[in-house]
Amino acid sequence: MSDHEWQAPGGSPQTPRPDAPSAPGGAVDPGVYGPPPPHGAWTPPPKPGLLPLRPLGFGTLLWAPFRTLRRNPAPTFGSGLVVQLVSAVATAAVVVPFLTVAITRLEGATEADADAILSGTVGGFLLLMLVPIAISIVVSAFLQGVMVVEVASGTLGDRLGFGALWRRAARRIWPLIGWTLFVGAALLVALTLLVLIVILAASISPIGLAVGITVAVLLGLGLVVLGAWIGVKLSLVPSVIVLEQAGIRTAMARSWRLTDGFYWRTFGTLFLVAVILNLAANVVVQPVSLVGTLLAVIVDPTGTGSALTITIVTTVVTLILSLLIGAITAVVQAALIAVIYIDLRMRKEGLDLELERHVEARGAGLPVADPYGPPAAHVPSGAGTPSPFGSERPATWS
């Protein structure tokens, strides 16, 4: 036994960590370990990066998405900001010119033509808004993929740049877009159903209108409860699509199974983080808006227009703050989904053991494969599995 290997009575030599620094001549520096642990003592699992390689406690689960943003801020916050800017610019590019033309036409129209122009304007506006909505769907789906890759790679100790994150997310962009469109279509169908109920009831009689509104409200509340339940059960779909290279149907089934037995824990985490983000946004934005309004009233109490500059500055500052907070919110919520996904796979499928083996093998210079593939992907099948998180490992390694 080497002088640098410690052996407890009845135990085996301590195996140096793959990442332990070497002393001259290739020997591992014994000082990196500190005092050896007592024989049989429990040692915590390693934490090479973002998450500890063990099932997460509720506190860790709750704050891990915020730590994701803090750990690698430029690529993550930059991605969220790009998404917010693209959505805002696309909406402004469509809405501003259209409304300018519409207002000009209405001002120059005769009384007889005003109703027809107004109806055409409303219809055209609704159709035109499909453009920024489509762009928002695409960029939101892309952000989901980016944050899933960031959390997965960060858990293994990697710190990817902006370009690397976007290139990896781009590989699964079409299934992500398909999933986002599916969710949007489901919401649109539910909203259309409620509107149709009110319209049909209103066509019968004024009493029917009141009944229709009541029915629509009650049905709407029921749909909210149903949507919340289904939404939590399917919340892991983006993570499965990106990390397991799964199709939409397979991802839905996987998400449904992974959340079995952990519904309320998943719901509580998603709900609490949403509340925290909403409160933080209001604490930052609302005082600025309130101060601007009070200054405008003080400077121009009679409403002559002399406080127009204050109003414009307040509006611009509020919009900028909303963009920044919107970027943070989008990043944290997307990262939270990936954190919950990894935690549930640790609990139900032993993913933490797979990640430990991956980190150890990669640190030792051994070929490795994607540790996030579905459980069946880790069964030796005679061929190596390509990994976006390392090189390739032999099929005999498990």
Side-chain angles (χ1 to χ4, degrees):
M1 182 173 64
S2 169
D3 292 339
H4 297 297
E5 292 175 337
W6 172 81
Q7 182 175 7
S12 58
Q14 184 187 31
T15 303
R17 294 196 317 264
D19 59 345
S22 296
V28 176
D29 183 359
V32 299
Y33 297 110
H39 177 57
W42 178 86
T43 56
K47 182 184 177 184
L50 175 66
L51 303 176
L53 302 186
R54 56 173 171 74
L56 307 179
F58 187 74
T60 304
L61 190 66
L62 193 65
W63 293 109
F66 297 95
R67 189 171 183 271
T68 303
L69 182 62
R70 187 182 64 182
R71 180 179 179 273
N72 200 12
T76 53
F77 177 71
S79 297
L81 190 58
V82 167
V83 168
Q84 294 294 313
L85 287 174
V86 169
S87 299
V89 170
T91 302
V94 169
V95 171
V96 173
F98 182 84
L99 290 181
T100 301
V101 173
I103 292 173
T104 302
R105 290 189 61 191
L106 285 173
E107 289 177 347
T110 62
E111 187 174 348
D113 296 334
D115 291 340
I117 293 176
L118 182 60
S119 299
T121 299
V122 172
F125 179 77
L126 293 176
L127 290 175
L128 202 59
M129 282 302 295
L130 293 177
V131 175
I133 290 175
I135 294 174
S136 178
I137 288 174
V138 173
V139 295
S140 297
F142 208 91
L143 181 63
Q144 288 179 331
V146 166
M147 294 313 302
V148 169
V149 172
E150 166 62 23
V151 172
S153 59
T155 300
L156 296 175
D158 298 331
R159 200 185 300 267
L160 302 180
F162 186 89
L165 282 175
W166 280 59
R167 283 192 298 272
R168 290 189 183 182
R171 300 172 186 173
R172 302 297 296 161
I173 185 59
W174 293 114
L176 285 171
I177 290 174
W179 168 245
T180 309
L181 287 173
F182 178 80
V183 174
L187 294 174
L188 182 61
V189 168
L191 181 60
T192 302
L193 175 63
L194 298 178
V195 173
L196 286 177
I197 289 175
V198 175
I199 293 175
L200 291 176
S203 64
I204 298 174
S205 66
I207 297 178
L209 174 61
V211 173
I213 292 176
T214 303
V215 171
V217 169
L218 294 176
L219 183 59
L221 293 175
L223 289 175
V224 168
V225 174
L226 178 63
W229 178 64
I230 295 177
V232 171
K233 295 292 290 181
L234 299 179
S235 60
L236 308 183
V237 169
S239 298
V240 177
I241 287 175
V242 174
L243 296 182
E244 300 186 21
Q245 309 288 306
I248 294 176
R249 183 191 298 183
T250 302
M252 292 172 68
R254 280 279 290 155
S255 177
W256 198 277
R257 288 194 299 269
L258 284 172
T259 52
D260 282 344
F262 293 90
Y263 174 84
W264 289 111
R265 190 172 190 268
T266 304
F267 173 82
T269 306
L270 293 171
F271 179 77
L272 281 178
V273 170
V275 169
I276 291 170
L277 292 171
N278 185 62
L279 288 176
N282 286 328
V283 167
V284 174
V285 175
Q286 293 303 322
V288 175
S289 179
L290 181 61
V291 168
T293 302
L294 291 176
L295 285 176
V297 171
I298 293 172
V299 172
D300 185 18
T302 58
T304 59
S306 57
L308 181 60
T309 302
I310 295 176
T311 303
I312 293 175
V313 170
T314 302
T315 303
V316 171
V317 172
T318 302
L319 288 175
I320 292 174
L321 286 176
S322 298
L323 281 174
L324 296 177
I325 294 173
I328 294 173
T329 299
V331 166
V332 170
Q333 288 179 329
L336 178 61
I337 298 298
V339 173
I340 293 174
Y341 163 82
I342 292 175
D343 174 61
L344 290 180
R345 284 198 60 184
M346 287 179 180
R347 293 176 178 275
K348 306 186 77 169
E349 298 175 355
L351 178 63
D352 50 334
L353 303 179
E354 187 68 28
L355 295 177
E356 285 183 36
R357 288 193 289 264
H358 179 95
V359 171
E360 292 169 358
R362 189 177 65 174
L366 299 177
V368 293
D370 181 5
Y372 291 106
H378 302 303
V379 178
S381 57
T385 305
S387 169
F389 301 99
S391 58
E392 185 175 308
R393 75 179 177 199
T396 56
W397 189 89
S398 61

